[in-house]
Amino acid sequence: MADHTAMPATSEKAQVPPDVVSAGSYDSRTHSGEEAGSFERPKTWMYRSIKVGPFKLPYYASPPFQLLIVSLVCFLCPGMFNALGGMGGGGQVDPRAANDANTAVYATFAVVGFFAGTITNTLGIKFALSFGGIGYSVYVAAFLCYNHTQNYGFTVFAGALLGVCAGLLWTAQGAIMMSYPSEDSKGRYISWFWMIFNLGAVIGSLIPLGQNINTTTNSAVNDGTYIGFLVLTFLGAVLAWCLVDAKNVVRKDGSKIILMKNPTWQTEIKGLGETFITDPYILFLFPMFFASNWFYTYQFNGVNLAFFNTRTRALNNTLYYIMQIVGAFVFGYALDQAKVRRSTRAKGAWAALFVLTMIVWGGGYAFQTGYTRGLVNAGSATKNDPSDDYVKKDWTDSGYIGPMFLYMFYGFYDAAWQTTVYWFMGSLTNNGRKLANFAGFYKGIQSAGAAIIWAVDNKGVPFMNIFASCWALLAGSLIIALPVILMKVQDTVPIEEDLKFSDETIADVAPQQTLNQKS
């Protein structure tokens, strides 16, 4: 008989569909709460629904509410970082300090990120997220200081510290986003997170837009912009402590997250190595991970900073992140279409990404043929007339609309890529411990690529060369990942398969009512 001590007793008598109970397996995550049966939540505040006026929100320890909190943390921390980075050069006229700081960010991020799943599984998600938020505050403070002291060393140090902090923050975030929802809602959860997170970047972009709206020259953003970002990032670090521990999260149907009951440094380091033994196919996704942040440097510095003046950069930044929200919504909901088998959806998502890669970056090639880094640096508008001053585009200039739409679609493409990669990982397993390692691999390898390309940009490599590397990496990584999409994405992952990577049993994670029926 199954052990019934792990879950609370049930009092509500909703019937569980027959297909949920089988001779040897159970997976509540393929069914919504309405289908899989109800349960009696413990009588504590965490498990009571929250009423706000006429609205009834999910209970505090539910996956949707926990996702909301982690989304708001990223709204306030990485969201502000993205808004600042999207200005090009960290809001400075000369991008060298920001480039070196970003190289430091992603260099340390790459190292820490690879082991961040182990650290997060051991120390917990609240610590990982809050510590990560502090790193963003220090990073913003360094640029505020740079405005007055030109303290290059502090800026680079802040970047290196942020890499350590962000490795933990993003690994915890990824584990929550991929392991908390049921299988049939992972696309929507990723979509919700990406929309809220990028809303932070939209609002963050409105700060420099409002403060520099009358600045038609090319100048650094003012102190008020940095101070606003500093306050918001600190609030994000504090908000992280409002999360509950993963072991206390209960889905609508009563099932829990698959974790380790008593994680230690030894078990988690061992688990990191076991990931490569049990899931070696993850290596085929590494090129997609590597490519996923490579193109930011080109978009922010090679396009926005090089081609537009300060206030137009701020406007472009806002539009870029609005399109991120649109892209996340479109792809997130498309990936959860229940009428189509998940394995079929995976193939369709791959095809959609490949087509988008050809269309968006094909348009980018046509745009990039119109100017070079040499022309921008030399202040020359044309190759034939070096005496002409190179004037960066303002939104009032003729010919602005085309580049504006291209930049918007760069934002849409980024959200489509990130959302789909997370969904691919989430479709391979439902084990929270394993997904924390996957998220760590993703952010670590992603950051290694970013560190390299920020350093390359700082060497003054031609814009067209950097553009070509972006396009080639994106298209090539999709081709390398195709075998995983074709052979490893299943319509559902049996719970027995997920439990192999933990010390939990079905009794620890399945709804009590279902266990009673199995007994």
Side-chain angles (χ1 to χ4, degrees):
M1 182 176 292
D3 179 7
H4 296 165
T5 61
M7 295 295 296
T10 59
S11 60
E12 300 180 37
K13 303 299 182 183
Q15 185 68 29
V16 179
D19 67 310
V20 179
V21 182
S22 63
S25 67
Y26 165 74
D27 192 349
S28 69
R29 294 155 306 192
T30 60
H31 300 269
S32 66
E34 290 80 8
E35 293 174 326
S38 54
F39 71 107
E40 182 179 288
R41 295 187 284 271
K43 297 184 182 299
T44 65
W45 66 273
M46 285 195 302
Y47 300 96
R48 295 173 185 157
S49 296
I50 301 167
K51 290 185 177 181
V52 180
F55 302 103
K56 188 176 181 181
L57 301 179
Y59 55 95
Y60 193 81
S62 66
F65 207 94
Q66 294 299 295
L67 180 79
L68 175 63
I69 293 175
V70 76
S71 298
L72 290 174
V73 172
C74 292
F75 171 106
L76 293 166
C77 295
M80 298 305 111
F81 173 84
N82 282 351
L84 187 60
M87 290 289 294
Q92 300 293 314
V93 176
D94 186 344
R96 286 178 294 179
N99 280 3
D100 287 342
N102 284 330
T103 300
V105 168
Y106 293 113
T108 55
F109 198 156
V111 176
V112 173
F114 212 77
F115 301 96
T118 298
I119 300 170
T120 300
N121 284 335
T122 307
L123 299 180
I125 56 174
K126 287 190 286 189
F127 173 84
L129 283 165
S130 184
F131 181 70
I134 293 296
Y136 287 94
S137 298
V138 174
Y139 181 84
V140 174
F143 279 97
L144 176 61
C145 175
Y146 191 84
N147 252 8
H148 296 274
T149 65
Q150 303 293 298
N151 191 331
Y152 172 86
F154 180 39
T155 305
V156 175
F157 165 79
L161 175 64
L162 176 57
V164 175
C165 297
L168 298 184
L169 180 144
W170 278 108
T171 298
Q173 173 275 330
I176 290 172
M177 188 174 66
M178 293 187 288
S179 67
Y180 281 21
S182 57
E183 284 188 335
D184 61 350
S185 61
K186 290 192 178 189
R188 295 194 298 277
Y189 271 61
I190 296 168
S191 172
W192 296 339
F193 166 80
W194 209 255
M195 289 190 289
I196 295 171
F197 159 54
N198 281 293
L199 182 60
V202 170
I203 294 174
S205 299
L206 291 174
I207 295 173
L209 177 59
Q211 293 185 335
N212 298 280
I213 197 166
N214 296 316
T215 304
T216 56
T217 59
N218 192 40
S219 60
V221 300
N222 58 37
D223 287 355
T225 299
Y226 291 121
I227 292 171
F229 287 160
L230 179 59
V231 171
L232 292 172
T233 52
F234 182 74
L235 288 175
V238 174
L239 181 62
W241 290 101
C242 295
L243 288 162
V244 301
D245 293 331
K247 64 183 180 182
N248 295 322
V249 174
V250 180
R251 299 189 183 95
K252 203 172 186 178
D253 62 358
S255 61
K256 289 194 169 187
I257 315 302
I258 299 176
L259 303 162
M260 286 288 284
K261 292 180 183 177
N262 300 294
T264 64
W265 288 108
Q266 289 78 9
T267 61
E268 295 315 302
I269 292 172
K270 180 181 178 182
L272 181 66
E274 288 175 351
T275 302
F276 290 106
I277 298 173
T278 61
D279 304 270
Y281 56 81
I282 197 67
L283 295 171
F284 287 88
L285 295 183
F286 280 11
M288 286 191 78
F289 299 173
F290 188 81
S292 61
N293 266 20
W294 185 274
F295 50 78
Y296 286 152
T297 304
Y298 169 72
Q299 291 171 354
F300 296 160
N301 283 2
V303 178
N304 208 21
L305 177 62
F307 199 73
F308 302 100
N309 65 20
T310 300
R311 70 174 187 174
T312 309
R313 284 155 52 193
L315 174 62
N316 291 343
N317 215 20
T318 304
L319 296 173
Y320 181 93
Y321 288 111
I322 288 174
M323 289 301 289
Q324 290 252 14
I325 295 172
V326 175
F329 176 82
V330 171
F331 270 74
Y333 277 78
L335 288 167
D336 273 351
Q337 289 299 310
K339 294 180 180 179
V340 182
R341 294 174 57 182
R342 186 166 72 170
S343 55
T344 303
R345 277 178 270 148
K347 298 178 183 71
W350 183 93
L353 270 188
F354 193 84
V355 171
L356 267 179
T357 301
M358 295 299 108
I359 294 174
V360 173
W361 290 88
Y365 173 77
F367 169 75
Q368 187 53 64
T369 58
Y371 68 101
T372 66
R373 187 189 292 270
L375 298 179
V376 174
N377 291 345
S380 172
T382 66
K383 292 181 180 179
N384 298 325
D385 189 1
S387 64
D388 289 342
D389 291 331
Y390 181 82
V391 179
K392 295 189 176 185
K393 280 283 186 192
D394 185 72
W395 67 53
T396 60
D397 295 338
S398 62
Y400 165 68
I401 298 300
M404 178 197 76
F405 273 108
L406 173 64
Y407 203 70
M408 290 172 64
F409 277 101
Y410 277 146
F412 180 93
Y413 179 87
D414 178 33
W417 186 274
Q418 310 290 350
T419 299
T420 305
V421 172
Y422 271 119
W423 187 84
F424 284 159
M425 288 188 287
S427 68
L428 298 173
T429 182
N430 301 296
N431 185 301
R433 182 189 182 208
K434 186 182 291 185
L435 284 169
N437 286 332
F438 281 6
F441 296 158
Y442 178 52
K443 301 307 294 188
I445 294 167
Q446 176 188 77
S447 300
I452 293 169
I453 194 60
W454 282 109
V456 168
D457 185 64
N458 226 21
K459 297 292 185 183
V461 173
F463 289 146
M464 183 59 81
N465 292 14
I466 296 179
F467 168 85
S469 70
C470 295
W471 197 0
L473 270 174
L474 291 166
S477 66
L478 278 170
I479 294 171
I480 294 171
L482 185 57
V484 176
I485 311 308
L486 295 176
M487 295 185 288
K488 288 298 180 180
V489 176
Q490 306 173 55
D491 294 327
T492 186
V493 180
I495 195 169
E496 290 85 358
E497 188 68 27
D498 284 328
L499 288 171
K500 290 178 182 178
F501 202 69
S502 73
D503 59 355
E504 294 184 314
T505 65
I506 293 179
D508 296 315
V509 297
Q512 178 67 39
Q513 184 170 348
T514 301
L515 293 172
N516 287 338
Q517 292 196 17
K518 288 187 71 175
S519 300

